[in-house]
Amino acid sequence: MTQGTGRCRAHTNIALIKYWGKQDEQLFLPMNSSLSLTLNAFYTDTKVTLDQALKQDVFLLNHQKQSAEQTLKISNFLDLFRHKYSISAKICVESINHVPTAAGLASSASAFAALAGAINEAARLNIGLQELSTFARRGSGSATRSIFGGFVEWQKGTCSTDSFAIPLDDAAWDIGMLIVVVNHREKIISSRQGMKRTVETSPFYPAWVKSSEKDLVEMKKAIVTKDFSKIGELAESSALKMHATMLSAQPPFTYFEPDSIRVIQRVQELRKKGLECYLTMDAGPNVKILCRLTDMDKLKQELSTEFSQDQMILSGVGSGIHSLSENEWLLSKKGLKS
Amino acid sequence: MTQGTGRCRAHTNIALIKYWGKQDEQLFLPMNSSLSLTLNAFYTDTKVTLDQALKQDVFLLNHQKQSAEQTLKISNFLDLFRHKYSISAKICVESINHVPTAAGLASSASAFAALAGAINEAARLNIGLQELSTFARRGSGSATRSIFGGFVEWQKGTCSTDSFAIPLDDAAWDIGMLIVVVNHREKIISSRQGMKRTVETSPFYPAWVKSSEKDLVEMKKAIVTKDFSKIGELAESSALKMHATMLSAQPPFTYFEPDSIRVIQRVQELRKKGLECYLTMDAGPNVKILCRLTDMDKLKQELSTEFSQDQMILSGVGSGIHSLSENEWLLSKKGLKS
């Protein structure tokens, strides 16, 4: 395969049962299985062109040619496919991130899922989605889950081939998420470093792994029975337990900002008042609020006394990766939704 | 013994290796041993008068006669002494809390230590300090440690008679504490309820107990070698681990307020800048900063850009309980330091 083009869209996802800690840093094998909800508000569109004539890989992100360092990360990822499928061509990767800059959300999940989908199409590899998720995983752990839509489980597995994602439920029911963007003052520890420190030093870490596996079982039951309250309680608990492991690391660290605590307090207050919503947080200060899709506007209204419109982003449930037509791709490049 | 008067002062203390969780709620036996620093800035003065003529116990706090409910708590505590030593007299308890109202610090530690000291003197019981700490414990767990000054260990023991405090070091070196008073919006879970929920529901709790015992060993070594940095690191770690157990409870809870996080961030920043200080927090939003006594003014200055003078209280190291003369007691009642 020396020529070919593929275009793919992948949405980001938010873990409800958190992934925190690797058992293999090279292969991105996690210590515990996780479970996420794919969001439709944030996605990456990627076009891959195999071109024998190119002297080296090229990577354009949001129309900007990226540095050698950034391009090398992409090349290393593409090598996984090139080695396995004997592809010799250099590759041009163009990506458009449809994630509001202010959102401060990691785009690596949608980025590597979209890239995996695009190379699969460009080189006509016909890799099935489950296996494709093992490739996405090598780019970024959370990308494993972005291959699918709705509720997705990432089974930790035992080796590189059986650590993959499976779709559980399309979540096409009354579910949404409101993301509160919280500003922070300085760059904090990366999630990769944070995980590593936690695994190596927290006395609570073994209990985290065990309790996550229990939570996962409960969460899957709650999804089957469409028990929104239980899903929310488990999600909030998993997130706060993950943040607890960081406070117990040596030296301790936290992603909490003053405004993160304000959102946590507001969510718990609103719940007492009867507006059912639950929070989750990742390796950063933003707070994501799981709620009923039909409550989302009301929730935003309630929070608008303390947070600006720019700080609040609404999302419904997203689908799995899918091909884009050339026309859809051109619209995406213009910054328009197709 | 039907008549007699005793007057006693006890200082409050801040745990550096935290006590969090009871193995016996009735007897206040803790799940783990703890270690504290007694502070001179906050204390309770208490006068106890045994009076056969009284029909019932009387309890005055800061010149105000207390409710039947409050008085009952004191009576129950006094009964421990009356039963063991066959005292039939009713008792008048007068207490003056020298804790700034704004401080929002629990005064139960100094209150029950002072009360134990005053009844010991009034009834001429001659209970030794170590045994007296087992009585103080029955009023409030942390009161166990307020019997002594400086660095104090509360050995968890195995039963009511061997769960007592021992003095480790008078801490008469370059050590102080700055308390940052953080306002909070609503009453949160009491420490008693918080402990109970944590012990019963947190998957991290067994690891907390184990790691606290390890930290205690390290802390005692650091005190012997006067290793201030190690003392500070262990204190900060113990506090944040305790707060981590709360985030992992079911349902999760936290005493963190937005301003608590601001203080935590400032402490970590100042440390990077070379001003050595470490934080600790109890079952509330206030942050206590352990520092060099000689750095205390500088630390206050640094924090004054974000916190008002009223919010910051300085303290040196306090001594153990001691008798007051009638003159000292009268000065105390006038709100004056003797």
Side-chain angles (χ1 to χ4, degrees):
Chain A
M1 179 61 57
T2 55
Q3 299 290 343
T5 299
R7 301 167 217 86
C8 183
R9 172 169 300 175
H11 294 91
T12 194
N13 71 82
I14 302 293
L16 303 182
I17 302 294
K18 296 296 183 192
Y19 150 54
W20 192 246
K22 296 182 180 70
Q23 52 174 305
D24 186 318
E25 299 203 19
Q26 194 65 32
L27 295 175
F28 286 81
L29 298 180
M31 292 289 270
N32 64 284
S33 299
S34 56
L35 189 151
S36 61
L37 183 65
T38 302
L39 298 186
N40 67 6
F42 314 102
Y43 55 94
T44 302
D45 289 341
T46 292
K47 180 177 180 178
V48 157
T49 308
L50 276 66
D51 190 347
Q52 198 67 33
L54 279 176
K55 291 207 176 131
Q56 54 192 14
D57 295 333
V58 176
F59 175 36
L60 289 101
L61 176 60
N62 298 338
H63 314 290
Q64 302 289 316
K65 195 176 171 210
Q66 299 297 295
S67 67
E69 194 188 342
Q70 285 303 314
T71 306
L72 183 63
K73 281 188 196 168
I74 299 301
S75 290
N76 287 340
F77 182 75
L78 294 170
D79 282 346
L80 299 172
F81 295 87
R82 281 190 283 226
H83 291 164
K84 181 155 182 186
Y85 297 100
S86 305
I87 300 166
S88 59
K90 296 297 175 187
I91 295 173
C92 175
V93 174
E94 298 168 83
S95 280
I96 308 288
N97 259 342
H98 293 271
V99 179
T101 312
L105 294 169
S107 54
S108 59
S110 54
F112 284 102
L115 183 54
I119 176 82
N120 192 27
E121 185 179 312
R124 289 168 215 157
L125 303 176
N126 290 313
I127 303 168
L129 290 179
Q130 186 173 292
E131 188 184 348
L132 197 62
S133 76
T134 67
F135 282 96
R137 196 196 71 231
R138 304 288 293 274
S140 166
S142 56
T144 317
R145 299 180 306 240
S146 271
I147 295 294
F148 298 107
F151 289 114
V152 180
E153 179 185 356
W154 172 14
Q155 300 185 337
K156 66 174 178 173
T158 57
C159 62
S160 194
T161 53
D162 69 355
S163 182
F164 49 66
I166 53 167
L168 296 174
D169 185 295
D170 62 6
W173 18 306
D174 192 7
I175 284 187
M177 203 169 255
L178 190 158
I179 292 92
V180 184
V181 178
V182 168
N183 294 319
H184 51 96
R185 292 186 298 178
E186 55 174 282
K187 196 181 158 85
I188 31 180
I189 188 169
S190 75
S191 64
R192 188 177 296 211
Q193 290 171 309
M195 279 184 193
K196 194 168 148 65
R197 189 190 295 175
T198 306
V199 173
E200 289 172 357
T201 68
S202 166
F204 298 172
Y205 191 75
W208 153 260
V209 174
K210 267 195 194 171
S211 85
S212 291
E213 297 291 351
K214 271 190 209 166
D215 289 347
L216 183 72
V217 172
E218 292 298 307
M219 182 64 96
K220 283 158 77 174
K221 278 188 209 163
I223 289 168
V224 169
T225 58
K226 293 190 167 43
D227 185 342
F228 177 73
S229 306
K230 189 73 187 167
I231 291 169
E233 283 165 18
L234 286 164
E236 188 165 311
S237 167
S238 176
L240 293 177
K241 273 189 284 195
M242 178 179 83
H243 285 268
T245 66
M246 303 167 194
L247 288 170
S248 67
Q250 295 298 332
F253 63 102
T254 183
Y255 294 101
F256 290 157
E257 288 284 331
D259 274 353
S260 312
I261 300 292
R262 285 170 67 208
V263 184
I264 292 173
Q265 290 177 332
R266 289 290 282 144
V267 165
Q268 294 179 341
E269 277 167 31
L270 287 169
R271 205 156 62 215
K272 272 187 201 157
K273 282 171 60 180
L275 179 56
E276 208 180 356
C277 57
Y278 301 89
L279 68 98
T280 182
M281 285 180 69
D282 294 293
N286 298 333
V287 184
K288 293 105 179 184
I289 310 177
L290 187 73
C291 63
R292 296 291 194 182
L293 207 55
T294 47
D295 282 338
M296 210 146 67
D297 289 334
K298 197 179 169 195
L299 180 60
K300 188 174 176 181
Q301 180 72 30
E302 288 280 359
L303 293 170
S304 65
T305 55
E306 289 187 80
F307 301 95
S308 70
Q309 296 298 307
D310 287 352
Q311 285 182 282
M312 296 183 286
I313 302 164
L314 307 179
S315 182
V317 175
S319 58
I321 60 165
H322 58 86
S323 287
L324 297 177
S325 66
E326 180 65 17
N327 193 42
E328 288 171 317
W329 168 250
L330 293 174
L331 284 169
S332 180
K333 281 181 80 168
K334 286 181 188 161
L336 301 169
K337 294 208 179 194
S338 55
Chain B
M1 181 60 55
T2 55
Q3 300 289 343
T5 299
R7 300 168 216 86
C8 183
R9 171 169 299 174
H11 294 91
T12 195
N13 71 82
I14 302 293
L16 303 183
I17 301 295
K18 297 295 182 191
Y19 149 54
W20 192 245
K22 297 182 180 70
Q23 53 174 306
D24 187 317
E25 299 204 18
Q26 195 64 34
L27 296 175
F28 286 80
L29 298 180
M31 292 289 269
N32 64 284
S33 299
S34 55
L35 189 150
S36 61
L37 183 66
T38 302
L39 298 186
N40 67 5
F42 314 102
Y43 56 94
T44 301
D45 288 341
T46 291
K47 181 177 180 178
V48 157
T49 308
L50 276 66
D51 189 348
Q52 197 68 31
L54 279 175
K55 290 206 177 133
Q56 54 190 15
D57 295 333
V58 177
F59 175 36
L60 289 101
L61 176 60
N62 298 337
H63 314 289
Q64 301 289 315
K65 196 176 170 210
Q66 299 296 295
S67 68
E69 193 189 342
Q70 285 302 315
T71 306
L72 183 63
K73 280 188 198 168
I74 299 300
S75 291
N76 287 340
F77 181 75
L78 294 171
D79 283 346
L80 299 172
F81 295 87
R82 281 189 284 227
H83 291 164
K84 180 154 185 188
Y85 297 99
S86 305
I87 301 166
S88 59
K90 295 297 175 187
I91 295 173
C92 175
V93 174
E94 299 168 82
S95 279
I96 307 289
N97 259 342
H98 293 272
V99 179
T101 314
L105 294 169
S107 53
S108 60
S110 53
F112 284 102
L115 183 53
I119 176 81
N120 191 29
E121 184 178 313
R124 290 168 215 157
L125 303 176
N126 290 314
I127 304 168
L129 291 179
Q130 186 172 292
E131 188 183 349
L132 197 61
S133 76
T134 68
F135 282 95
R137 195 196 72 229
R138 304 288 293 274
S140 167
S142 57
T144 318
R145 299 180 306 240
S146 271
I147 296 294
F148 297 106
F151 290 113
V152 180
E153 179 184 357
W154 173 13
Q155 299 185 335
K156 66 174 179 173
T158 57
C159 63
S160 195
T161 52
D162 69 356
S163 183
F164 49 65
I166 53 167
L168 296 175
D169 185 296
D170 62 8
W173 16 306
D174 192 9
I175 284 188
M177 203 169 256
L178 188 158
I179 292 93
V180 183
V181 178
V182 168
N183 294 318
H184 51 97
R185 291 186 298 176
E186 55 175 282
K187 195 181 157 82
I188 32 179
I189 189 168
S190 74
S191 63
R192 190 176 296 209
Q193 291 172 308
M195 278 183 192
K196 194 167 148 65
R197 189 190 293 174
T198 306
V199 173
E200 289 172 357
T201 68
S202 166
F204 298 172
Y205 191 74
W208 153 260
V209 174
K210 265 194 197 171
S211 85
S212 291
E213 298 291 349
K214 269 189 212 166
D215 288 348
L216 182 72
V217 172
E218 292 298 307
M219 183 65 96
K220 283 159 76 176
K221 276 188 211 164
I223 288 169
V224 169
T225 57
K226 293 189 167 43
D227 184 343
F228 177 73
S229 306
K230 189 73 187 167
I231 291 169
E233 283 165 17
L234 286 164
E236 188 165 313
S237 168
S238 176
L240 293 176
K241 274 190 282 194
M242 179 179 84
H243 285 267
T245 67
M246 304 169 194
L247 288 171
S248 68
Q250 295 298 331
F253 64 101
T254 183
Y255 294 102
F256 290 157
E257 289 283 332
D259 274 352
S260 312
I261 301 292
R262 285 169 68 209
V263 184
I264 292 173
Q265 291 177 332
R266 288 288 282 142
V267 165
Q268 294 179 341
E269 278 168 30
L270 287 170
R271 207 156 60 213
K272 271 187 203 157
K273 279 170 61 180
L275 180 55
E276 207 179 358
C277 56
Y278 301 89
L279 67 99
T280 181
M281 285 180 70
D282 294 294
N286 298 334
V287 185
K288 292 104 179 185
I289 310 177
L290 187 73
C291 63
R292 295 290 194 181
L293 207 54
T294 46
D295 281 338
M296 210 145 69
D297 290 333
K298 195 178 170 195
L299 179 59
K300 189 174 177 182
Q301 180 73 29
E302 288 280 359
L303 293 170
S304 65
T305 54
E306 288 187 81
F307 301 96
S308 70
Q309 295 298 308
D310 287 351
Q311 286 182 282
M312 296 183 286
I313 302 164
L314 307 180
S315 182
V317 175
S319 58
I321 61 166
H322 58 87
S323 288
L324 296 176
S325 66
E326 181 64 17
N327 193 44
E328 286 172 318
W329 169 249
L330 292 173
L331 284 170
S332 180
K333 280 181 81 168
K334 288 182 188 160
L336 301 169
K337 294 210 177 190
S338 54

